[in-house]
Amino acid sequence: MLQTVAIVLVAVATVVGVAIFTRGAAAIAAQVRVGRPAAGRLTPVGRRAWTALAQILGHGHFRGRPVVRAAHWAVMLSFPLLFLTLVTGYGQLADPAFALPLLGHLPPGEWLTEAIAWLGLVGIVGLIAVRLRTQPRPAEEPETARRSRFFGSTRWQAYVVEAVILAVVLCVLALRALEYAYYAGEPELARYATTVHFPLTAWLGETLTGSGQATLATAITVVAAVKILVSVGWLAIVGLQPSMGVAWHRFLAVLNVYARREPGGGPALGPAQPLLADGAPVTLETLEDLPEDATLGVGTLADFTWKGLLDFSTCTECGRCQDQCPAWNTGKPLSPKLFTLALRDHAAATAPFLRAAAAASPEQLSAATLAGRDGFTPHTGDVLGALAAVGATGPTGVAVGPTALVPDVIAPDVLWSCTMCGACVHQCPVDIEHVDHILDLRRHEVLMASAFPAELGQMFKKLETKGNPWGLAARKRLDWAKDLEFEVPVVGADVESAAEVDYLFWVGCAGAFEDRAKKTTRAVAELLHTAGVSFAVLGDGEACTGDPARRAGNELLFQMLAAQNVETLTEARAQKIVVTCAHCFNTLAREYPQLGGRYDVVHHTQLLNRLVREGRLTPVAPPAAETRTITYHDPCFLGRHNQVYAPPRELLGALPGATAVEMPRSGETAMCCGGGGARVWMEEKIGTRVNVERAREAAATGATAVATACPFCTTMLSDGVAANGDEVEVLDVAQLLLAGVRRGQDT
């Protein structure tokens, strides 16, 4: 009787659970299909498949959390590797001794099953403990609660997933112990009741032997039924919740990692992606050929690519991105996680209506303009109008259709708080491309809606009219070279082309106009001269690379500046370029190739480090009383975006008499100075200033000097130190090296 009830109950539950799950999967697939094409995200197949396999099995994105990484790895593997125990469970409902043909009593398979079950148990208990220890407490103040990476995550969904995993692995281990005891009581099966077949559960099975075969058979039936019901119940729950990323990510993450921006690995950092319209890059030349109704950037849900919509559905709500975000950690409204979840929930509410609109004929859409519905006044192309025409209904109070993502879904303060440091992308275990999505939203706001902070409007005008964000005359670009003891040759005046020298020295706007950055420019020039490295500059022929414009969303202004610079560099026959600005480095090396400009670009710390290693620059120790402790700040666009971590540190290590100390957040986990993403040109009015927080962290190390490798960082941290009242000097690595080299020349 019990077996009959169990079989019927499990059969009904399985059909219902699988049906609901299939419906949920279809809903996600349909939602993703609403997005625009994402060219190149599915090929090359072999390379992408290998990268995805290596990334998923290696858990490469679980940086800095070895315990969580190991626990999640065990839990992840338990899902596919214990699937056969689920299949076996169906057979055990009818026959307690059921085992899969060939595989059922194969020792290696049994060893793997028991090992992964125990590892899964330890792993899920560990993950539950981590969540319980770090999740926000109901009684906590908001400022305290938001420090948890689980702040804003949907708590009940995580509890359901963790409870299901815990129940399943416990059932697997209980079944193995019951099977041992049952086999031991059956003469024809007793040969299996050994540690060869039950290496990690025989000890538990021994405690159950002698319980009686009928009792053991009943127990096997009950536990097998519970295991199946928990599993198919989970299918039903997640099927009813297509936005339950904490559950769906175990399926969607595979595709999302496969479709990552970089096929061979690496996060979606470095170069910004080209501006697209209908899947094709938009350039100044093609701009006039665009249809009048073309959209630049992302203004509504339908403007995202399918990869973007897949990103939102894949979010696990783990909060690693939030934990690292400098904006969130200084009291800003931007949380990369909450940003993603807001778009995910909006997509779940809106996608069905977009599909209905897409399915409507032009005649229906035309008719829809004449018929209002539920208080809405539709217009041509309006989704609610299309719904009225085709007879579909929508939820009350849900923002649907062509809702403007900014400000209806994403608040402007959220969008403009981003420094584009890339910490969120770097930390995300499922390769969500937060920075690309924020940039696309900014592009729409700037190019289509003309809605952006007032400070950016001034900066755009100065870039357009003067070629630099300070708005200074181009003739002042060589002022930094005044009073040097050697001549700085200019291409076109002192040398015919850059091909006549070792390097073209790209000074950059900050290096030419900002007083603190000028010191770095002079230091690099003097060091290159001392090392016998020939170089030349473009002088007033240089213009801003366009990085501030591009990162602020003004892609067309960026392209104007970039095209001008590419033409200048081509005429100058430049090939090898050295730069002092991390943003110029990223733009020239990683973004100009999109416009046909390909150069061998090195950051000044890379070149200077090589010169020291070759013995062409030799720093000398200062007097004992002048030795100093130095902490190095990683520029985001040099470190995370371009993986240049070692050269600056090796340079500091080569300075005699200097002791280097690391800040708690350094290298891959370094905190931003607050100047990236065009933030250096915007007022910071919410929360703590990012540069003030970073300067406080640097001073807390006890260092007397902060070494930088980017003029934006030098400026931001100098201002932060001053605001804190700390007696800490902020210097570029080149300035520190020059002081040591000069001491050698004086002796």
Side-chain angles (χ1 to χ4, degrees):
M1 181 64 179
L2 176 64
Q3 286 181 319
T4 302
V5 171
I7 290 172
V8 172
L9 181 61
V10 164
V12 172
T14 300
V15 171
V16 173
V18 171
I20 294 175
F21 179 81
T22 302
R23 183 172 177 269
I28 294 175
Q31 176 178 309
V32 170
R33 285 200 300 271
V34 166
R36 294 184 174 183
R41 291 306 186 111
L42 298 178
T43 57
V45 175
R47 191 179 184 195
R48 286 189 174 278
W50 175 253
T51 300
L53 182 65
Q55 185 66 57
I56 292 170
L57 292 183
H59 265 42
H61 277 343
F62 280 77
R63 298 177 175 93
R65 293 183 171 89
V67 174
V68 173
R69 179 180 183 177
H72 189 275
W73 181 84
V75 171
M76 178 198 71
L77 288 183
S78 69
F79 182 71
L81 294 182
L82 295 181
F83 176 74
L84 291 181
T85 65
L86 179 63
V87 177
T88 301
Y90 281 93
Q92 289 174 321
L93 295 177
D95 179 7
F98 177 82
L100 292 173
L102 301 178
L103 299 177
H105 297 302
L106 190 66
E110 294 172 315
W111 303 340
L112 179 62
T113 296
E114 295 200 355
I116 201 62
W118 282 112
L119 287 174
L121 177 61
V122 173
I124 194 59
V125 169
L127 293 178
I128 292 172
V130 168
R131 185 176 296 275
L132 292 175
R133 187 180 71 251
T134 60
Q135 70 181 2
R137 300 290 183 267
E140 286 180 338
E141 293 294 327
E143 288 303 312
T144 302
R146 65 182 277 142
R147 295 173 190 165
S148 168
R149 65 185 176 94
F150 295 117
F151 179 89
S153 297
T154 312
R155 190 174 300 183
W156 75 264
Q157 294 181 356
Y159 288 157
V160 167
V161 171
E162 289 167 345
V164 166
I165 295 170
L166 180 62
V168 167
V169 292
L170 285 175
C171 284
V172 170
L173 293 171
L175 280 171
R176 292 293 293 170
L178 289 168
E179 289 166 16
Y180 177 92
Y182 186 80
Y183 291 168
E186 296 288 334
E188 67 275 14
L189 298 174
R191 66 183 184 280
Y192 296 125
T194 67
T195 54
V196 173
H197 293 277
F198 295 86
L200 301 177
T201 56
W203 64 274
L204 189 57
E206 285 289 350
T207 64
L208 300 175
T209 55
S211 299
Q213 293 302 95
T215 300
L216 291 171
T218 298
I220 290 174
T221 300
V222 171
V223 175
V226 169
K227 181 179 183 300
I228 295 171
L229 291 174
V230 168
S231 299
V232 297
W234 177 82
L235 289 178
I237 292 173
V238 302
L240 292 170
Q241 298 284 333
S243 61
M244 191 173 176
V246 70
W248 281 103
H249 84 274
R250 63 178 54 192
F251 306 105
L252 301 180
V254 177
L255 179 56
N256 212 50
V257 173
Y258 174 88
R260 65 193 306 166
R261 191 216 281 184
E262 303 296 331
L269 296 174
Q273 291 296 279
L275 174 66
L276 302 177
D278 294 328
V282 176
T283 66
L284 295 175
E285 291 75 20
T286 63
L287 185 62
E288 294 183 358
D289 297 329
L290 292 177
E292 291 185 4
D293 60 349
T295 298
L296 300 180
V298 170
T300 66
L301 182 75
D303 295 330
F304 281 112
T305 65
W306 64 260
K307 174 58 170 67
L309 297 179
L310 181 63
D311 271 356
F312 308 145
S313 293
T314 307
C315 180
T316 71
E317 303 189 31
C318 66
R320 289 175 177 82
C321 57
Q322 180 174 286
D323 199 35
Q324 293 289 316
C325 179
W328 181 257
N329 286 324
T330 54
K332 312 295 188 294
L334 169 63
S335 157
K337 178 183 71 178
L338 299 181
F339 168 85
T340 302
L341 298 186
L343 291 171
R344 180 198 68 187
D345 293 343
H346 178 65
T350 304
F353 305 96
L354 293 175
R355 293 197 302 274
S361 67
E363 292 76 14
Q364 289 174 316
L365 289 174
S366 177
T369 64
L370 304 176
R373 177 171 178 164
D374 297 335
F376 292 95
T377 302
H379 54 81
T380 301
D382 188 285
V383 171
L384 289 173
L387 291 174
V390 299
T393 59
T396 302
V398 175
V400 298
T403 301
L405 294 179
V406 181
D408 295 337
V409 180
I410 303 298
D413 283 335
V414 169
L415 182 66
W416 296 106
S417 291
C418 181
T419 67
M420 299 198 175
C421 69
C424 51
V425 177
H426 188 265
Q427 285 291 319
C428 182
V430 293
D431 277 312
I432 294 173
E433 299 164 4
H434 314 77
V435 170
D436 287 350
H437 302 321
I438 289 174
L439 180 55
D440 278 335
L441 288 172
R442 285 187 175 186
R443 284 168 168 170
H444 184 274
E445 290 303 285
V446 172
L447 300 175
M448 302 295 293
S450 295
F452 46 84
E455 307 97 316
L456 290 183
Q458 300 171 18
M459 187 262 286
F460 292 155
K461 184 176 181 180
K462 292 173 182 177
L463 284 174
E464 187 172 357
T465 58
K466 298 294 186 180
N468 67 83
W470 277 270
L472 298 176
R475 65 177 181 275
K476 294 181 178 293
R477 279 191 175 271
L478 271 174
D479 285 358
W480 65 269
K482 291 179 179 178
D483 303 325
L484 285 176
E485 296 179 357
F486 54 91
E487 293 295 324
V488 175
V490 179
V491 175
D494 303 302
V495 296
E496 184 176 346
S497 74
E500 299 178 24
V501 294
D502 295 327
Y503 287 93
L504 174 71
F505 183 9
W506 184 274
V507 177
C509 299
F513 298 120
E514 208 277 328
D515 289 339
R516 286 164 288 194
K518 286 182 185 179
K519 296 177 182 179
T520 300
T521 306
R522 290 172 65 91
V524 171
E526 185 173 338
L527 288 167
L528 294 180
H529 178 74
T530 301
V533 176
S534 62
F535 66 93
V537 299
L538 292 173
D540 60 9
E542 191 179 290
C544 179
T545 60
D547 168 81
R550 185 171 226 194
R551 296 289 165 171
N554 198 335
E555 177 71 13
L556 301 182
L557 179 55
F558 161 75
Q559 289 195 23
M560 183 188 78
L561 294 165
Q564 176 184 332
N565 284 325
V566 169
E567 182 179 356
T568 300
L569 291 169
T570 300
E571 291 177 355
R573 296 174 59 194
Q575 187 55 48
K576 298 173 68 175
I577 302 175
V578 59
V579 299
T580 60
C581 175
H583 299 264
C584 292
F585 174 70
N586 181 71
T587 306
L588 290 169
R590 306 289 301 281
E591 297 186 340
Y592 275 21
Q594 297 172 359
L595 302 173
R598 292 175 172 79
Y599 316 103
D600 180 8
V601 186
V602 296
H603 190 258
H604 72 287
T605 58
Q606 295 173 306
L607 178 56
L608 294 177
N609 185 51
R610 188 164 76 237
L611 295 175
V612 170
R613 296 294 175 265
E614 292 174 354
R616 298 168 69 177
L617 293 173
T618 305
V620 173
E626 297 180 18
T627 58
R628 61 171 67 192
T629 301
I630 304 170
T631 187
Y632 174 66
H633 165 78
D634 289 273
C636 300
F637 277 77
L638 185 65
R640 261 190 303 271
H641 280 274
N642 286 284
Q643 302 300 301
V644 179
Y645 297 109
R649 288 177 167 80
E650 291 174 1
L651 269 177
L652 293 177
L655 297 178
T659 302
V661 295
E662 293 282 7
M663 285 181 261
R665 289 177 285 190
S666 62
E668 292 184 340
T669 61
M671 182 181 179
C672 182
C673 73
R679 283 295 324 174
V680 71
W681 310 109
M682 290 181 264
E683 289 295 326
E684 196 170 343
K685 302 174 183 177
I686 303 174
T688 304
R689 296 176 70 91
V690 176
N691 61 334
V692 168
E693 180 65 26
R694 184 58 166 170
R696 184 181 296 121
E697 187 173 11
T701 65
T704 57
V706 180
T708 66
C710 175
F712 286 6
C713 297
T714 303
T715 298
M716 298 298 290
L717 293 179
S718 295
D719 292 346
V721 166
N724 291 332
D726 294 319
E727 295 183 1
V728 180
E729 195 172 10
V730 180
L731 299 166
D732 190 273
V733 174
Q735 293 174 269
L736 293 165
L737 176 61
L738 178 60
V741 171
R742 281 178 172 174
R743 283 191 292 269
Q745 294 173 332
D746 294 339
T747 56

